[in-house]
Every structure is written in C-alpha cells, then in structure tokens.
Amino acid sequence: AEGQDVSWSAYAGVLHSVSGAVDITFNLARSFRAPALEERYQYIELGGSTYVGDPDLASEQSTALDFGVRLRDERVSITANAFVNFMNNLVVDRQVLDTLYMKDNVGEARLLGGELAMEYNPVARFVLYGSLSYVRGRDTGMDSDLPAIPPLTAVAGLRVPLWELGHADFSLMATDDQDQVAAGEKRTPGTAVGAAGNCAGFGA
C-alpha cells in the first residue's frame, strides 16, 4: 500500500519563576506521528491472541496542553503536572474477534490526566521518592473508553548510598482497579509489586 501524509508541528512553552524555589510551566504543542512499520504490518501471536497491523493507518494528530508547578529547595523537590491531549486518528488495537486484535484509528480521542512526583533528601545521599499518575482516555467520537489505558499508579521508594560503589534502590509500585475499559477489554484488579536493585557507580 502506498500513501502520503502531510502535516505540521509546533511547540510553545513558558517557564515563570514565582520565587527562587517555585516555578510555573505551561506548554502548548501541535504534532503528528506517522504509524511505525510494526503498526502497519505486524503479525504477532501471544498466548492465543493475535495482533495484526493495518497498512492503511492514517497519521496521528495531536494538540496537547500541559500545566505544571515545580517546588525545589535543598532537600525537597516536588513536581505537579496536569495535561489534556486532543487527538485525531489515534492508533489503537481494536478487538475484532475474541482473540483477534487489529490496528485501527480512533477518529477523535481525548487523554486527560496528571502526575505528582516528589523527592526528599533527609540526610547525606539518602533519597525518599514517590509518584502518583493518572490518565483517562476517551473515544469522544463514539463516547466510549479507549483501550490499553493504565490505571491510577503509585510508586514509593528509597535510594540508599553504598559508599563509593553506587546505591541500592528499594521500591513499591501499586495500581488501582481498572474498570474504565473499552468494549471487549477485560477489567483488571489492583496490584502491588516490590522491587530491589543496585546501581554501580563511582564518585560522590
């Protein structure tokens, strides 16, 4: 299949320092994304489910607005962002049969959400960190939920210095139930997963 896509992109951002410790940001962007080769021509079988591409996919077009606040001092860093993204021709996996999914364009879609992130350095190079993120996806043309949208997610962790060897990282990630799902998509229960790891490094 042959095709030609013509589009344009633009970006504008503002950073305003309210004080030495507080910044406010605002971003406005208009962009497009041509579907990847994998999205156009994929054929994947996963545990009984089959995912097929579509050579005739149209390019995604997006208009995004983002507003954020950043607070920083010697020991604490807090960032909060809220966004809304209006999209045309969003590429999704559309369920065709019980186990068959095909790449398709959503005519009009909206993604709305935000993220809160924090780091706290109580002493030395010890760092407590956490984040909370949420996104709501809607097919506004069909007045339905979008597929494959992640649920409310929280992360909390601790980074511990290992002298000059690097640091150890202990974290916990938890997700809420996801019951805002597309037609044919399964609801998922909440989860909690702990992890531990280390990163080698040298220097202060």
Side-chain angles (χ1 to χ4, degrees):
E2 295 183 0
Q4 180 175 347
D5 294 316
V6 178
S7 190
W8 57 275
S9 298
Y11 170 83
V14 176
L15 170 63
H16 175 63
S17 180
V18 179
S19 67
V22 180
D23 296 330
I24 293 176
T25 63
F26 177 77
N27 300 292
L28 173 64
R30 203 280 187 184
S31 61
F32 82 101
R33 185 186 73 87
L37 286 175
E38 291 81 0
E39 293 172 322
R40 293 186 187 274
Y41 300 105
Q42 77 175 12
Y43 185 87
I44 301 174
E45 290 185 291
L46 296 173
S49 295
T50 303
Y51 293 82
V52 180
D54 182 356
D56 297 321
L57 287 172
S59 292
E60 294 179 344
Q61 298 181 357
S62 167
T63 300
L65 295 91
D66 177 281
F67 176 78
V69 178
R70 300 188 304 193
L71 170 64
R72 293 171 298 175
D73 65 17
E74 293 181 354
R75 295 194 178 278
V76 178
S77 173
I78 300 174
T79 304
N81 283 83
F83 69 87
V84 59
N85 194 345
F86 301 97
M87 305 191 71
N88 292 327
N89 299 321
L90 175 66
V91 177
V92 300
D93 286 307
R94 184 83 71 186
Q95 187 174 22
V96 181
L97 300 172
D98 287 346
T99 59
L100 176 62
Y101 297 82
M102 176 176 256
K103 284 288 189 290
D104 193 13
N105 290 114
V106 173
E108 296 179 355
R110 182 185 66 239
L111 300 174
L112 178 68
E115 181 176 19
L116 177 66
M118 179 275 292
E119 286 194 356
Y120 174 55
N121 175 217
V123 62
R125 290 189 295 150
F126 287 80
V127 177
L128 290 166
Y129 64 89
S131 67
L132 189 67
S133 60
Y134 176 76
V135 61
R136 183 83 166 92
R138 294 286 293 173
D139 180 338
T140 54
M142 300 295 292
D143 192 25
S144 61
D145 291 308
L146 289 174
I149 298 297
L152 175 67
T153 302
V155 176
L158 170 65
R159 286 196 295 271
V160 180
L162 299 176
W163 300 280
E164 301 300 321
L165 301 178
H167 64 264
D169 195 302
F170 307 91
S171 65
L172 175 68
M173 183 177 72
T175 62
D176 195 8
D177 299 345
Q178 179 57 293
D179 55 7
Q180 297 169 334
V181 295
E185 193 176 30
K186 295 181 179 179
R187 299 183 179 187
T188 55
T191 61
V193 179
N198 66 79
C199 179
F202 301 94

